Structures are given as C-alpha cells and as structure tokens.
Amino acid sequence: MNEHFQISTDKTPAGDQPEAIKSLVAGLKKGLTHQTLFGVTGSGKTFTCANIINQVQKPTLVIAHNKTLAAQLAQEYRDFFPNNAVHYFVSYYDYYQPEAYMPTSDTYIEKEAQINEEIDRLRHASTEALLTRSDVIIVASVSCIYGLGSPIEYKRVQRDLSVGDALSRADFLRELVGMYFERTNADLTPGSFRAVGNKVEVMPTSERVIVRIDFAGDQIGSITKIDAITRSIISELQHHPLFPAKHFVTPEHERLEAIEEIKEELKLQLAKFKREGKILEAERLKRRTQNDLALMREIGYCNGIENYSRHFDRRQAGEPPYTLLSYFPHLVDGTPDFLTIIDESHVTIPQLGGMYAGDKSRKDTLVEHGFRLPSAIDNRPLQFKEIERELGQRVYTTATPGKYEKEYSENIVEQIIRPTGLIDPEIKLKPVTEKGDYKGQIKDFISQAENTIREGARVLVTTLTKQMAEDLSDFLEERKVKSRYIHSDVDTLERIEILADFRRGKFDCLVGVNLLREGLDLPEVELVAILDADKEGFLRSETALIQTIGRAARNVNGKVVLYADGMTNSLRTAIDETNRRREIQLIHNRKHNITPTTISKEIRSIADQLRTEHDKTVDVLLKVDMELYKKNPKKVLKQKRRQMEEAVAILDFETAAIIRDEIKYLEELKK
C-alpha cells in the first residue's frame, strides 16, 4: 500500500487559505486532536482541507450531516484527487421505517425498508478501498457510526485471485457461496456469479463489471475484466481481490455458537418475564425468537437478523458494534491512524451525539414488551464517547462554530478573506405582513425573484415547513416562474439531481426548508430570501440565519432579503456578524486593489456517476436512433420491439431490458 495523495488542480491557495493550511498542518504534526477551520461561506474550506490531506498523506474520513452535502463534497474531493480513491458512504435506505412499539395505543410497527442497490455498491467500494490501499478519502453521513460487520472477518473471507493459483472450478464455486455470492443462470447483478463451461463469471458487489476466471485444469488460467453491457474486454489481469458480497460475515462454527447463545438468552429473559408476571410478553418473545432461530438454522437468515448482531459478532453486552470507523487504519495500540474532517460541525456534531439516545429509547420499549431480546439494544449506533475514541485527529469546518468546537479546539483558524475577493452580501429587511401598498412577503418576494431571473440569475428561498415549500413552488409555477422544491422527503439521488439541474438553469427558483443551509455550493444564486425570519427557533436561529445568508456569498451580485416584522436576538446577531465580516473583506480589497469576481465552478454531480450502466447504454442507443425515429417513428418502434423479442428468445434479458426502456422513452415522445 504505497499509494500517495496527489492533488490535481490549477488552483493555488489564496486569500486566507495559505495561512490556514500552514497553521492546521502544523497542529496535526504537533499531535493536536481538535482544530477548527472557522471559515466564511465561499472561502474555500474544502480546498483548504484538500491541501491539508495532500500534505498529511493519511487516509481521511469526511463526515457531513446529510446525504446531499456528502454527495457534493464527494464530487469536490474527486475533482481535487482524480487519481486517488474517493468514495461516498451513506445509508443505503431510500425508505426506512424502524421497528417500534407504542404502548399507549398498543401499536406495533413492523420494520420497513427499501434498499438502494447503487448506494449499497458504493458502500462496498468504500470498505474495499480502505482494506486495499492508503490513498483513500471516504465522504460519509452519520451512517458511518452504525453497525457494519467485522472488518477482520470481512478481510479474512476476501479471496486474492492470481493467474496460476492452484484452485479447481468446483472449489471456487463453493468458495463463492461461502462468500455470500448468489448463483444465477440469468444476467449477472452485483453479488452474483454464473458458471459457463470452464469459466466462472462473477460480478463483485462493488462494481458493475464482470470478472471472468478461466480455469485450466485445477488452476487459474486467466482473469479478465469485462464490460457488463457490451461484453467487451476491459483488461487482462494477473491478480484480482474478491471481497464477500455482504458486510456481515460469520463463519459457520460461530453461527452455530451464536444460535446457542441466543437460545440461552431467550431462556433467561423468559424466566425474568415469568417472575414479573408478564405472561403475554413471555409468549410473544418465545414465539418470535423461536421462529427466527428456525430460519437461522435452516437458511442462515431471518427478518430483523441485525437485532442478534451482538451474538454473531462475538461481542459482550454493551460492547460497541463494528462500524465504518473500524475499517480505517489503527496503530498497534488501537490509536486511530487517520484524519477526520467534520464538515459543518455545528450541525454534524450534535447529530452524531443524538443518534444513540433515540435508538436506545425505541429498543428499550421493544425489549420491555417482549418484541426483542435484550441483546437487540447492542445493535445500535456508537455513543458519542465511543465516537470520540474512534475518530482520528479532527479538523472541524464551519462558518458558525458551536459550543463543542469552541470548548475543545486547541487551535481555531479564521478564514474570512475569500480568494475571489467576494464580500458577504448586503442584507435588506422587509416586513412579513401586508401594509398599505406593500403586499406582504410572498408577493414582494415574487417581484424580487422575477427581477433577478430577468437578469439571468437564480433565486433561493427558504420556508419554515415542507408544505409551505411545496405550496410556494406551485404558486411560482402558476406565475410562470420555473421552480422546484427540495426537502427531506425527496429521495437522496433526486435531491442531488435537482441541485445540479438548478445550477444548469433548467429552473430558476429553488424552494426549500433547512436543506438549503449548510455547505450547498450554488454560485449562480444572486438572491436569497428568508421568509418569516423573525420566527425564533431552530430554522431561524443565529447559526441557521448566518448559514442561509452565506448562500448569496458566492456571487458578486449576491443579496439577501430577510422578511421580519420584529428584531429577534438571532436576527441581530446574524446581521452584526455578516456586517463584521463584510467590513474586514472590504478593507482587505481596498488595501490590495482587488475587484471581487463571482466564483466560477464546473457543474458536475455525483448523481451522474450513480447512474447505472443500463441507463448510460439506453442514452447511447437513443442518440443513435433518434434521427431515424424523427423520420419514421412507427418503423423504428416496430424494429425495436422485434429486437427486444429476439433478445428474449435467446435469454439475453439484459439487452431486452435496455431496448424496452428505449422503446418506453420513444413512446413518451409521441404523447
């Protein structure tokens, strides 16, 4: 593992960045654990951190407080380090309803989850990179503190394949089953394999390519990497590491031991319930657990198996679970040997600290009422004290440091001067309510937005509720203002795509709630409007206001309108802090004869990389067929349907699915 980080960019540190980089790197070399980069919006905190990584040369974990920001950061770090391993690690659930019980209404809620296979693939790519190379940056959400399975077992089951290895085809097939790969005779999907003659084709969970192993007798004759769609050869390999298809890996003897331990725990818990006179709870727990045990014995799996993870991981009661942090390098004494950057730390740190308590409260209720064994409580996120112990040296980045950063940081570096010379935006205060000729905040905002859009710029507006965001977006559309809304109910990948489309100019006004605050990099925005700015609370706190105001700080014409009937403490503090920074920036620009320029940033989205090869192939075919379709739509559709049927006839379902989706798109054009 001799890879090195190598930053690749035409940019050079400017403004306050050189001094910030120098100070923070010096602090890391001194062994400081806590440092804060106190940087204003648009001052290039990510670029500063990229330069720190480049100098420190350690694997790095970047933690963001939501998936959208994590995606943006992952793309930025990939741009800075195109030749290194930069990965995206977030929760793989598109939808998640945790198991719960509400005693007051005697309501039990079954766990429901919808897994995003593409994000699951990226999670596997992250762990594989951490175990095979040293030049790794993982950009993660708080998902990184949840149970993931033992890295020791994950690494132990890994199979390093090399040309010439003594290995029979039959033994390899058995190994693949032991690594949780599924055998198929149809199209390969991540985590599956098929045998064709002397060849075995495997699609690793972390990639959408096929690895073909050709056996010559009882040894590996060749290893070939193949494009899954076109079947063209990508490369001939001498070696290839193959990791298990699942993160949770348990050897057979340990699985049997775990089952015996679960049976013993059930016996003890049933005895406890009987002593307490909880007959219903005892019967409920007995039936559920015995059913789960039967499934585990027969097929090795049951619904909710994660609730027994402590037994399968061979952990003691109360012992923390393995997480993504466990996959990062540690010294012999267990000391973390990696760098941690906590982005927008004023939000991320409280979020990290709050995960355990909420999870434990829900699990305690399930255990108390006989829905789960006590060991289910150990299927949990890390406690904050455990997170502190597991993280490496930290750099907190924020425009509004919180109590934790202020209390623990041994070095706080301020980054106020932007490389572009941009100054903080001018702020205007306007009333919320209608008075005389003034029509109130909504009509005034629409007038301001229309003026801004006519000049070719974009508009950002924040509301207090999701419903208000949706209603305002609809109202703007009625006024012929192209608008979209974004909030936590919008799927992860859709949020990322909406932001990219906003920057590309596919619509002009983005409406949202709190997702429009920390870290979102939107230099095309000239107008930021905050509705009901005087409604004191989380969304209109001093920190939230400063962060939202900062969205206009990447454009030379940026301005902010705060709609408020009164002056709260948070409003006053936010306005004063913005004006303080603005004054420092103006003095610097005058002194150095700097003319501010809007940030120029290429519009790229990690969502483009999350699109499947299937989607990309459909796009390629559409480009080829579109001209023919324009000339004779009926003929092209008829030809496509025949091609689809021919593909099905020879069991080439992958090609058939591609043609099917192309037909679907072409038919939509007719409507």
Side-chain angles (χ1 to χ4, degrees), residues 437-456:
D437 293 335
Y438 180 73
K439 299 301 182 183
Q441 64 177 355
I442 298 297
K443 289 185 178 178
D444 183 80
F445 160 68
I446 291 173
S447 174
Q448 300 264 354
E450 288 172 339
N451 291 337
T452 302
I453 292 165
R454 270 195 292 270
E455 297 298 320

Side-chain angles (χ1 to χ4, degrees), residues 579-596:
N579 289 337
R580 179 187 78 86
R581 297 173 181 181
R582 185 179 168 88
E583 185 61 28
I584 293 171
Q585 294 153 356
L586 285 168
I587 291 170
H588 176 85
N589 286 356
R590 284 196 292 267
K591 180 179 178 181
H592 297 279
N593 197 28
I594 294 172
T595 301

Side-chain angles (χ1 to χ4, degrees), residues 461-465 469 484-487 510-516:
V461 56
T462 66
T463 66
L464 281 174
T465 66
R484 295 285 301 274
Y485 65 83
I486 184 172
H487 53 58
L510 181 59
V511 187
V513 194
N514 61 329
L515 289 178
L516 300 183

